[in-house]
Amino acid sequence: MLRLLGVRAARPLRWRDSEARRVLMSAGLSKDLFEKHNVRSLPVRKGDEVMVTRGAYKNREGKVETCYRRKFVIHIERITREKANGNTVHVAVHPSKVHTQPKSKWNERTDRTVPRYGRARTARAAEASPPAPADGRSRSVNRYGVVVVT
């Protein structure tokens, strides 16, 4: 079947679709934003204030200058290195290795979508919680989806 479709047709959607890449290039929100909006991550875009959380540039803050979807990386304002010939170039950072800061660029569209994500997350959590047992013991679901009775 693969041979009939051709190699190009069988390529995963994440390699073909720019919107899928946008979603894959998401960065976690800082603890303040997570507690405020109940949203874990959002797609990174140009102008967002981020802080690097992993790698050689850990704890460095800056503004996103470019989102390079083709390579799944972002370039951050003050994170650069010098090449052998003396030129200064941006260091590519994967969006999963940064956190969005509270002073980030929020607009009216973000103000509409973020609460919607938070409500959906809260609704899913309410559906997933099992009913309380009649014998007075408490039940909870651990992070692996297993019901624990205490």
Side-chain angles (χ1 to χ4, degrees), residues 54-82:
R54 296 281 187 271
Y57 301 97
K58 186 173 182 176
N59 296 329
R60 300 264 305 266
E61 291 187 20
K63 190 179 287 190
V64 176
E65 287 201 345
T66 56
C67 292
Y68 201 166
R69 289 188 189 174
R70 186 172 184 178
K71 290 187 173 184
F72 287 104
V73 295
I74 59 175
H75 295 144
I76 303 172
E77 195 174 46
R78 291 180 296 271
I79 300 183
T80 58
R81 70 176 184 86
E82 193 170 312

PDB file of all heavy atoms in Angstrom, residues 54-82:
ATOM      1  N   ARG A  54      16.467  25.185  29.885  1.00  0.00           N
ATOM      2  CA  ARG A  54      17.384  24.051  29.718  1.00  0.00           C
ATOM      3  C   ARG A  54      18.564  24.475  28.850  1.00  0.00           C
ATOM      4  O   ARG A  54      18.452  25.356  28.018  1.00  0.00           O
ATOM      5  CB  ARG A  54      16.680  22.876  29.029  1.00  0.00           C
ATOM      6  CG  ARG A  54      15.536  22.259  29.807  1.00  0.00           C
ATOM      7  CD  ARG A  54      16.063  21.321  30.881  1.00  0.00           C
ATOM      8  NE  ARG A  54      14.997  20.609  31.525  1.00  0.00           N
ATOM      9  CZ  ARG A  54      14.346  21.042  32.585  1.00  0.00           C
ATOM     10  NH1 ARG A  54      14.620  22.222  33.078  1.00  0.00           N
ATOM     11  NH2 ARG A  54      13.411  20.328  33.146  1.00  0.00           N
ATOM     12  N   GLY A  55      19.685  23.790  29.026  1.00  0.00           N
ATOM     13  CA  GLY A  55      20.818  23.977  28.147  1.00  0.00           C
ATOM     14  C   GLY A  55      21.824  25.004  28.645  1.00  0.00           C
ATOM     15  O   GLY A  55      21.776  25.480  29.780  1.00  0.00           O
ATOM     16  N   ALA A  56      22.749  25.358  27.751  1.00  0.00           N
ATOM     17  CA  ALA A  56      23.841  26.264  28.098  1.00  0.00           C
ATOM     18  C   ALA A  56      23.351  27.674  28.398  1.00  0.00           C
ATOM     19  O   ALA A  56      24.023  28.429  29.102  1.00  0.00           O
ATOM     20  CB  ALA A  56      24.861  26.300  26.956  1.00  0.00           C
ATOM     21  N   TYR A  57      22.195  28.050  27.888  1.00  0.00           N
ATOM     22  CA  TYR A  57      21.665  29.400  28.068  1.00  0.00           C
ATOM     23  C   TYR A  57      20.554  29.450  29.114  1.00  0.00           C
ATOM     24  O   TYR A  57      19.707  30.337  29.089  1.00  0.00           O
ATOM     25  CB  TYR A  57      21.162  29.945  26.728  1.00  0.00           C
ATOM     26  CG  TYR A  57      22.258  29.988  25.702  1.00  0.00           C
ATOM     27  CD1 TYR A  57      22.399  28.951  24.777  1.00  0.00           C
ATOM     28  CD2 TYR A  57      23.170  31.027  25.674  1.00  0.00           C
ATOM     29  CE1 TYR A  57      23.420  28.982  23.842  1.00  0.00           C
ATOM     30  CE2 TYR A  57      24.185  31.063  24.741  1.00  0.00           C
ATOM     31  CZ  TYR A  57      24.313  30.026  23.834  1.00  0.00           C
ATOM     32  OH  TYR A  57      25.327  30.058  22.929  1.00  0.00           O
ATOM     33  N   LYS A  58      20.576  28.515  30.044  1.00  0.00           N
ATOM     34  CA  LYS A  58      19.545  28.424  31.083  1.00  0.00           C
ATOM     35  C   LYS A  58      19.462  29.730  31.886  1.00  0.00           C
ATOM     36  O   LYS A  58      20.472  30.380  32.145  1.00  0.00           O
ATOM     37  CB  LYS A  58      19.893  27.267  32.021  1.00  0.00           C
ATOM     38  CG  LYS A  58      18.857  26.962  33.061  1.00  0.00           C
ATOM     39  CD  LYS A  58      19.231  25.712  33.814  1.00  0.00           C
ATOM     40  CE  LYS A  58      18.170  25.384  34.827  1.00  0.00           C
ATOM     41  NZ  LYS A  58      18.452  24.127  35.499  1.00  0.00           N
ATOM     42  N   ASN A  59      18.228  30.108  32.245  1.00  0.00           N
ATOM     43  CA  ASN A  59      17.907  31.313  33.021  1.00  0.00           C
ATOM     44  C   ASN A  59      18.156  32.619  32.267  1.00  0.00           C
ATOM     45  O   ASN A  59      18.143  33.678  32.882  1.00  0.00           O
ATOM     46  CB  ASN A  59      18.655  31.333  34.363  1.00  0.00           C
ATOM     47  CG  ASN A  59      18.223  30.199  35.260  1.00  0.00           C
ATOM     48  OD1 ASN A  59      17.086  29.760  35.222  1.00  0.00           O
ATOM     49  ND2 ASN A  59      19.145  29.706  36.060  1.00  0.00           N
ATOM     50  N   ARG A  60      18.328  32.573  30.963  1.00  0.00           N
ATOM     51  CA  ARG A  60      18.479  33.788  30.167  1.00  0.00           C
ATOM     52  C   ARG A  60      17.111  34.171  29.621  1.00  0.00           C
ATOM     53  O   ARG A  60      16.371  33.329  29.136  1.00  0.00           O
ATOM     54  CB  ARG A  60      19.455  33.576  29.003  1.00  0.00           C
ATOM     55  CG  ARG A  60      20.858  33.180  29.396  1.00  0.00           C
ATOM     56  CD  ARG A  60      21.827  34.333  29.476  1.00  0.00           C
ATOM     57  NE  ARG A  60      21.917  35.116  28.288  1.00  0.00           N
ATOM     58  CZ  ARG A  60      22.801  34.949  27.321  1.00  0.00           C
ATOM     59  NH1 ARG A  60      23.672  33.958  27.387  1.00  0.00           N
ATOM     60  NH2 ARG A  60      22.816  35.770  26.282  1.00  0.00           N
ATOM     61  N   GLU A  61      16.775  35.447  29.700  1.00  0.00           N
ATOM     62  CA  GLU A  61      15.486  35.934  29.215  1.00  0.00           C
ATOM     63  C   GLU A  61      15.678  36.734  27.940  1.00  0.00           C
ATOM     64  O   GLU A  61      16.750  37.286  27.700  1.00  0.00           O
ATOM     65  CB  GLU A  61      14.813  36.822  30.264  1.00  0.00           C
ATOM     66  CG  GLU A  61      14.351  36.077  31.476  1.00  0.00           C
ATOM     67  CD  GLU A  61      13.545  36.950  32.414  1.00  0.00           C
ATOM     68  OE1 GLU A  61      13.031  37.986  31.972  1.00  0.00           O
ATOM     69  OE2 GLU A  61      13.424  36.579  33.585  1.00  0.00           O
ATOM     70  N   GLY A  62      14.631  36.781  27.140  1.00  0.00           N
ATOM     71  CA  GLY A  62      14.672  37.579  25.928  1.00  0.00           C
ATOM     72  C   GLY A  62      13.362  37.503  25.190  1.00  0.00           C
ATOM     73  O   GLY A  62      12.439  36.769  25.567  1.00  0.00           O
ATOM     74  N   LYS A  63      13.281  38.268  24.113  1.00  0.00           N
ATOM     75  CA  LYS A  63      12.084  38.316  23.286  1.00  0.00           C
ATOM     76  C   LYS A  63      12.292  37.423  22.074  1.00  0.00           C
ATOM     77  O   LYS A  63      13.378  37.390  21.499  1.00  0.00           O
ATOM     78  CB  LYS A  63      11.832  39.760  22.843  1.00  0.00           C
ATOM     79  CG  LYS A  63      10.497  39.992  22.188  1.00  0.00           C
ATOM     80  CD  LYS A  63      10.328  41.439  21.822  1.00  0.00           C
ATOM     81  CE  LYS A  63      10.089  42.256  23.070  1.00  0.00           C
ATOM     82  NZ  LYS A  63       9.686  43.640  22.755  1.00  0.00           N
ATOM     83  N   VAL A  64      11.257  36.685  21.667  1.00  0.00           N
ATOM     84  CA  VAL A  64      11.347  35.821  20.489  1.00  0.00           C
ATOM     85  C   VAL A  64      11.438  36.699  19.249  1.00  0.00           C
ATOM     86  O   VAL A  64      10.562  37.543  19.015  1.00  0.00           O
ATOM     87  CB  VAL A  64      10.129  34.872  20.405  1.00  0.00           C
ATOM     88  CG1 VAL A  64      10.186  34.051  19.127  1.00  0.00           C
ATOM     89  CG2 VAL A  64      10.074  33.967  21.615  1.00  0.00           C
ATOM     90  N   GLU A  65      12.504  36.516  18.477  1.00  0.00           N
ATOM     91  CA  GLU A  65      12.670  37.305  17.251  1.00  0.00           C
ATOM     92  C   GLU A  65      12.091  36.584  16.045  1.00  0.00           C
ATOM     93  O   GLU A  65      11.480  37.210  15.191  1.00  0.00           O
ATOM     94  CB  GLU A  65      14.141  37.628  17.026  1.00  0.00           C
ATOM     95  CG  GLU A  65      14.652  38.669  17.990  1.00  0.00           C
ATOM     96  CD  GLU A  65      15.898  39.350  17.495  1.00  0.00           C
ATOM     97  OE1 GLU A  65      16.535  38.854  16.555  1.00  0.00           O
ATOM     98  OE2 GLU A  65      16.226  40.398  18.059  1.00  0.00           O
ATOM     99  N   THR A  66      12.326  35.275  15.950  1.00  0.00           N
ATOM    100  CA  THR A  66      11.767  34.505  14.831  1.00  0.00           C
ATOM    101  C   THR A  66      11.324  33.136  15.316  1.00  0.00           C
ATOM    102  O   THR A  66      11.921  32.565  16.221  1.00  0.00           O
ATOM    103  CB  THR A  66      12.792  34.297  13.691  1.00  0.00           C
ATOM    104  OG1 THR A  66      13.955  33.674  14.228  1.00  0.00           O
ATOM    105  CG2 THR A  66      13.157  35.580  13.012  1.00  0.00           C
ATOM    106  N   CYS A  67      10.265  32.631  14.702  1.00  0.00           N
ATOM    107  CA  CYS A  67       9.813  31.254  14.897  1.00  0.00           C
ATOM    108  C   CYS A  67      10.105  30.517  13.598  1.00  0.00           C
ATOM    109  O   CYS A  67       9.441  30.770  12.587  1.00  0.00           O
ATOM    110  CB  CYS A  67       8.323  31.199  15.212  1.00  0.00           C
ATOM    111  SG  CYS A  67       7.910  31.894  16.795  1.00  0.00           S
ATOM    112  N   TYR A  68      11.067  29.662  13.614  1.00  0.00           N
ATOM    113  CA  TYR A  68      11.527  28.977  12.420  1.00  0.00           C
ATOM    114  C   TYR A  68      10.838  27.611  12.380  1.00  0.00           C
ATOM    115  O   TYR A  68      11.372  26.618  12.860  1.00  0.00           O
ATOM    116  CB  TYR A  68      13.045  28.836  12.477  1.00  0.00           C
ATOM    117  CG  TYR A  68      13.742  28.618  11.174  1.00  0.00           C
ATOM    118  CD1 TYR A  68      15.117  28.774  11.087  1.00  0.00           C
ATOM    119  CD2 TYR A  68      13.076  28.242  10.031  1.00  0.00           C
ATOM    120  CE1 TYR A  68      15.796  28.565   9.907  1.00  0.00           C
ATOM    121  CE2 TYR A  68      13.739  28.030   8.846  1.00  0.00           C
ATOM    122  CZ  TYR A  68      15.094  28.198   8.797  1.00  0.00           C
ATOM    123  OH  TYR A  68      15.761  27.980   7.616  1.00  0.00           O
ATOM    124  N   ARG A  69       9.639  27.563  11.809  1.00  0.00           N
ATOM    125  CA  ARG A  69       8.839  26.333  11.837  1.00  0.00           C
ATOM    126  C   ARG A  69       9.480  25.198  11.065  1.00  0.00           C
ATOM    127  O   ARG A  69       9.300  24.042  11.395  1.00  0.00           O
ATOM    128  CB  ARG A  69       7.445  26.599  11.280  1.00  0.00           C
ATOM    129  CG  ARG A  69       6.603  27.438  12.201  1.00  0.00           C
ATOM    130  CD  ARG A  69       5.193  27.516  11.696  1.00  0.00           C
ATOM    131  NE  ARG A  69       4.440  28.499  12.473  1.00  0.00           N
ATOM    132  CZ  ARG A  69       3.221  28.866  12.188  1.00  0.00           C
ATOM    133  NH1 ARG A  69       2.609  28.372  11.138  1.00  0.00           N
ATOM    134  NH2 ARG A  69       2.600  29.742  12.928  1.00  0.00           N
ATOM    135  N   ARG A  70      10.205  25.524  10.030  1.00  0.00           N
ATOM    136  CA  ARG A  70      10.811  24.476   9.204  1.00  0.00           C
ATOM    137  C   ARG A  70      11.818  23.654  10.011  1.00  0.00           C
ATOM    138  O   ARG A  70      11.952  22.453   9.809  1.00  0.00           O
ATOM    139  CB  ARG A  70      11.489  25.101   8.001  1.00  0.00           C
ATOM    140  CG  ARG A  70      12.018  24.105   7.032  1.00  0.00           C
ATOM    141  CD  ARG A  70      12.498  24.787   5.787  1.00  0.00           C
ATOM    142  NE  ARG A  70      12.931  23.798   4.822  1.00  0.00           N
ATOM    143  CZ  ARG A  70      13.362  24.084   3.627  1.00  0.00           C
ATOM    144  NH1 ARG A  70      13.420  25.337   3.227  1.00  0.00           N
ATOM    145  NH2 ARG A  70      13.749  23.137   2.807  1.00  0.00           N
ATOM    146  N   LYS A  71      12.519  24.314  10.940  1.00  0.00           N
ATOM    147  CA  LYS A  71      13.517  23.624  11.754  1.00  0.00           C
ATOM    148  C   LYS A  71      13.044  23.353  13.184  1.00  0.00           C
ATOM    149  O   LYS A  71      13.819  22.845  13.992  1.00  0.00           O
ATOM    150  CB  LYS A  71      14.804  24.447  11.805  1.00  0.00           C
ATOM    151  CG  LYS A  71      15.538  24.494  10.494  1.00  0.00           C
ATOM    152  CD  LYS A  71      16.868  25.179  10.684  1.00  0.00           C
ATOM    153  CE  LYS A  71      17.693  25.093   9.425  1.00  0.00           C
ATOM    154  NZ  LYS A  71      19.020  25.676   9.609  1.00  0.00           N
ATOM    155  N   PHE A  72      11.806  23.729  13.514  1.00  0.00           N
ATOM    156  CA  PHE A  72      11.260  23.548  14.870  1.00  0.00           C
ATOM    157  C   PHE A  72      12.102  24.274  15.918  1.00  0.00           C
ATOM    158  O   PHE A  72      12.344  23.748  17.000  1.00  0.00           O
ATOM    159  CB  PHE A  72      11.147  22.069  15.243  1.00  0.00           C
ATOM    160  CG  PHE A  72      10.046  21.350  14.542  1.00  0.00           C
ATOM    161  CD1 PHE A  72      10.327  20.490  13.492  1.00  0.00           C
ATOM    162  CD2 PHE A  72       8.731  21.512  14.904  1.00  0.00           C
ATOM    163  CE1 PHE A  72       9.320  19.817  12.836  1.00  0.00           C
ATOM    164  CE2 PHE A  72       7.716  20.852  14.255  1.00  0.00           C
ATOM    165  CZ  PHE A  72       8.013  20.001  13.213  1.00  0.00           C
ATOM    166  N   VAL A  73      12.568  25.489  15.631  1.00  0.00           N
ATOM    167  CA  VAL A  73      13.357  26.254  16.595  1.00  0.00           C
ATOM    168  C   VAL A  73      12.866  27.696  16.624  1.00  0.00           C
ATOM    169  O   VAL A  73      12.157  28.148  15.728  1.00  0.00           O
ATOM    170  CB  VAL A  73      14.868  26.241  16.264  1.00  0.00           C
ATOM    171  CG1 VAL A  73      15.433  24.844  16.374  1.00  0.00           C
ATOM    172  CG2 VAL A  73      15.145  26.844  14.911  1.00  0.00           C
ATOM    173  N   ILE A  74      13.260  28.405  17.685  1.00  0.00           N
ATOM    174  CA  ILE A  74      13.011  29.839  17.775  1.00  0.00           C
ATOM    175  C   ILE A  74      14.351  30.531  18.003  1.00  0.00           C
ATOM    176  O   ILE A  74      15.304  29.918  18.505  1.00  0.00           O
ATOM    177  CB  ILE A  74      12.019  30.186  18.909  1.00  0.00           C
ATOM    178  CG1 ILE A  74      12.537  29.700  20.264  1.00  0.00           C
ATOM    179  CG2 ILE A  74      10.653  29.641  18.622  1.00  0.00           C
ATOM    180  CD1 ILE A  74      11.685  30.112  21.435  1.00  0.00           C
ATOM    181  N   HIS A  75      14.417  31.798  17.605  1.00  0.00           N
ATOM    182  CA  HIS A  75      15.592  32.615  17.871  1.00  0.00           C
ATOM    183  C   HIS A  75      15.199  33.684  18.877  1.00  0.00           C
ATOM    184  O   HIS A  75      14.197  34.373  18.691  1.00  0.00           O
ATOM    185  CB  HIS A  75      16.106  33.248  16.585  1.00  0.00           C
ATOM    186  CG  HIS A  75      16.610  32.245  15.601  1.00  0.00           C
ATOM    187  ND1 HIS A  75      16.444  32.377  14.254  1.00  0.00           N
ATOM    188  CD2 HIS A  75      17.270  31.074  15.779  1.00  0.00           C
ATOM    189  CE1 HIS A  75      16.986  31.341  13.638  1.00  0.00           C
ATOM    190  NE2 HIS A  75      17.483  30.538  14.546  1.00  0.00           N
ATOM    191  N   ILE A  76      15.987  33.806  19.942  1.00  0.00           N
ATOM    192  CA  ILE A  76      15.683  34.713  21.036  1.00  0.00           C
ATOM    193  C   ILE A  76      16.651  35.901  20.986  1.00  0.00           C
ATOM    194  O   ILE A  76      17.819  35.754  20.627  1.00  0.00           O
ATOM    195  CB  ILE A  76      15.755  33.971  22.384  1.00  0.00           C
ATOM    196  CG1 ILE A  76      14.781  32.784  22.350  1.00  0.00           C
ATOM    197  CG2 ILE A  76      15.424  34.899  23.541  1.00  0.00           C
ATOM    198  CD1 ILE A  76      14.874  31.865  23.517  1.00  0.00           C
ATOM    199  N   GLU A  77      16.147  37.047  21.373  1.00  0.00           N
ATOM    200  CA  GLU A  77      16.792  38.344  21.174  1.00  0.00           C
ATOM    201  C   GLU A  77      18.268  38.390  21.576  1.00  0.00           C
ATOM    202  O   GLU A  77      19.120  38.683  20.755  1.00  0.00           O
ATOM    203  CB  GLU A  77      16.008  39.379  21.978  1.00  0.00           C
ATOM    204  CG  GLU A  77      16.295  40.787  21.634  1.00  0.00           C
ATOM    205  CD  GLU A  77      15.354  41.699  22.384  1.00  0.00           C
ATOM    206  OE1 GLU A  77      15.163  41.508  23.594  1.00  0.00           O
ATOM    207  OE2 GLU A  77      14.788  42.581  21.735  1.00  0.00           O
ATOM    208  N   ARG A  78      18.616  38.136  22.800  1.00  0.00           N
ATOM    209  CA  ARG A  78      19.992  38.325  23.268  1.00  0.00           C
ATOM    210  C   ARG A  78      20.759  37.023  23.409  1.00  0.00           C
ATOM    211  O   ARG A  78      21.779  36.974  24.101  1.00  0.00           O
ATOM    212  CB  ARG A  78      19.975  39.080  24.593  1.00  0.00           C
ATOM    213  CG  ARG A  78      19.520  40.523  24.449  1.00  0.00           C
ATOM    214  CD  ARG A  78      19.517  41.261  25.762  1.00  0.00           C
ATOM    215  NE  ARG A  78      18.564  40.714  26.720  1.00  0.00           N
ATOM    216  CZ  ARG A  78      17.297  41.098  26.805  1.00  0.00           C
ATOM    217  NH1 ARG A  78      16.832  42.013  25.985  1.00  0.00           N
ATOM    218  NH2 ARG A  78      16.505  40.574  27.711  1.00  0.00           N
ATOM    219  N   ILE A  79      20.290  35.969  22.782  1.00  0.00           N
ATOM    220  CA  ILE A  79      21.000  34.693  22.837  1.00  0.00           C
ATOM    221  C   ILE A  79      21.690  34.478  21.500  1.00  0.00           C
ATOM    222  O   ILE A  79      21.083  34.019  20.530  1.00  0.00           O
ATOM    223  CB  ILE A  79      20.041  33.544  23.201  1.00  0.00           C
ATOM    224  CG1 ILE A  79      19.427  33.834  24.560  1.00  0.00           C
ATOM    225  CG2 ILE A  79      20.764  32.224  23.181  1.00  0.00           C
ATOM    226  CD1 ILE A  79      18.528  32.792  25.096  1.00  0.00           C
ATOM    227  N   THR A  80      22.953  34.846  21.447  1.00  0.00           N
ATOM    228  CA  THR A  80      23.733  34.771  20.216  1.00  0.00           C
ATOM    229  C   THR A  80      25.094  34.158  20.515  1.00  0.00           C
ATOM    230  O   THR A  80      25.490  34.027  21.677  1.00  0.00           O
ATOM    231  CB  THR A  80      23.948  36.173  19.615  1.00  0.00           C
ATOM    232  OG1 THR A  80      24.599  36.988  20.581  1.00  0.00           O
ATOM    233  CG2 THR A  80      22.638  36.809  19.195  1.00  0.00           C
ATOM    234  N   ARG A  81      25.800  33.815  19.459  1.00  0.00           N
ATOM    235  CA  ARG A  81      27.178  33.358  19.594  1.00  0.00           C
ATOM    236  C   ARG A  81      27.981  33.922  18.433  1.00  0.00           C
ATOM    237  O   ARG A  81      27.423  34.349  17.422  1.00  0.00           O
ATOM    238  CB  ARG A  81      27.269  31.838  19.644  1.00  0.00           C
ATOM    239  CG  ARG A  81      26.958  31.135  18.346  1.00  0.00           C
ATOM    240  CD  ARG A  81      27.181  29.625  18.474  1.00  0.00           C
ATOM    241  NE  ARG A  81      26.974  28.970  17.205  1.00  0.00           N
ATOM    242  CZ  ARG A  81      27.914  28.838  16.271  1.00  0.00           C
ATOM    243  NH1 ARG A  81      29.107  29.333  16.466  1.00  0.00           N
ATOM    244  NH2 ARG A  81      27.650  28.219  15.140  1.00  0.00           N
ATOM    245  N   GLU A  82      29.274  33.899  18.572  1.00  0.00           N
ATOM    246  CA  GLU A  82      30.141  34.448  17.543  1.00  0.00           C
ATOM    247  C   GLU A  82      30.731  33.312  16.719  1.00  0.00           C
ATOM    248  O   GLU A  82      31.243  32.333  17.265  1.00  0.00           O
ATOM    249  CB  GLU A  82      31.250  35.275  18.187  1.00  0.00           C
ATOM    250  CG  GLU A  82      31.996  36.136  17.202  1.00  0.00           C
ATOM    251  CD  GLU A  82      32.919  37.116  17.893  1.00  0.00           C
ATOM    252  OE1 GLU A  82      32.464  37.776  18.839  1.00  0.00           O
ATOM    253  OE2 GLU A  82      34.074  37.192  17.473  1.00  0.00           O
TER     254      GLU A  82
END
